[in-house]
Amino acid sequence: MNRSLAPLIPASIAAIAALTAQLSAALAQSSASAPPTSPTRSAGTSCEKDAGFHTLDFWVGTWRVTVDGRYDGTDVVTKILDGCAVTEDWRDAGGGRGKSLFYYEPFEKTWSQIWVTDQATLRGGLKMKRLIAIYADGGTRFQGMLPGPPGSKIVLDRTTLTPLDKNTVHQLIEISLDGGSTWRKAYDARYTRVR
């Protein structure tokens, strides 16, 4: 990820706050209507046994990130909760930070991402994306809208992750100002595995 999107337009976090409130309400309602559970774990299928939870396995690791051959940051991508989710911990060369939570919804069979940076008050500092494509080479594409102030132009944002080999990933972030008719490169990075 890169903070180059941050100065585009000051952002509103109202959309993310509304989504968070909706999610909290849905979880509360679901908890209230759910039957009581025992204190022991259920015998349901583990995340590790469901192939859908392995879509981002190629990206798990510690990465040195370069843009045009120059060091741009370090990204640590980790599976958590017994393989049920993936976190990303980004630190750019200038000291900026960002974190993602990627989670798989097994009933809809799709991944979502929530990205938050230390520049969350600027457009691009918060993102919510959904998986829209899985490619034959194992690569993925996530897409969403960048939140902005009321009345601002809609900005679409997509990230394509392409494994080049087991130790190298290409990340391309693009934005569209015309509803997806055309896309321009916002960030083009090479990830090299450190471990």
Side-chain angles (χ1 to χ4, degrees):
M1 295 284 183
N2 170 299
R3 294 190 306 174
S4 67
L5 294 176
L8 285 176
I9 301 172
S12 163
I13 60 170
I16 291 179
L19 181 62
T20 302
Q22 290 173 351
L23 180 59
S24 296
L27 289 172
Q29 181 180 9
S30 135
S31 301
S33 61
T37 58
S38 71
T40 60
R41 286 182 86 160
S42 71
T45 304
S46 78
C47 297
E48 285 295 324
K49 292 180 182 177
D50 184 327
F53 285 94
H54 293 277
T55 302
L56 295 176
D57 283 2
F58 71 91
W59 197 36
V60 172
T62 300
W63 303 91
R64 181 179 194 276
V65 182
T66 56
V67 174
D68 296 327
R70 289 184 307 276
Y71 175 73
D72 196 52
T74 301
D75 209 9
V76 179
V77 181
T78 309
K79 290 183 96 167
I80 61 168
L81 302 172
D82 296 327
C84 292
V86 173
T87 60
E88 174 186 18
D89 186 3
W90 166 255
R91 294 173 189 248
D92 72 30
R97 302 276 318 265
K99 291 189 180 279
S100 281
L101 173 66
F102 291 85
Y103 59 94
Y104 180 69
E105 215 306 355
F107 305 106
E108 292 184 21
K109 301 197 179 306
T110 191
W111 281 87
S112 295
Q113 174 196 17
I114 298 171
W115 166 254
V116 182
T117 72
D118 55 3
Q119 299 289 313
T121 59
L122 302 176
R123 189 169 239 180
L126 294 170
K127 299 179 183 183
M128 291 181 295
K129 299 181 189 180
R130 295 209 44 151
L131 181 71
I132 62 166
I134 298 175
Y135 299 104
D137 62 6
T140 59
R141 176 171 285 165
F142 286 81
Q143 184 172 311
M145 287 190 302
L146 295 179
S152 65
K153 188 170 188 106
I154 292 174
V155 178
L156 297 179
D157 177 79
R158 70 183 184 189
T159 299
T160 305
L161 297 168
T162 306
L164 303 178
D165 59 46
K166 70 178 189 170
N167 292 312
T168 314
V169 172
H170 176 226
Q171 180 188 61
L172 178 64
I173 300 175
E174 300 168 289
I175 61 170
S176 175
L177 303 175
D178 59 10
S181 295
T182 61
W183 293 87
R184 79 170 180 195
K185 180 171 45 174
Y187 189 66
D188 192 349
R190 184 178 186 95
Y191 280 53
T192 303
R193 188 180 302 278
V194 175
R195 60 174 193 251

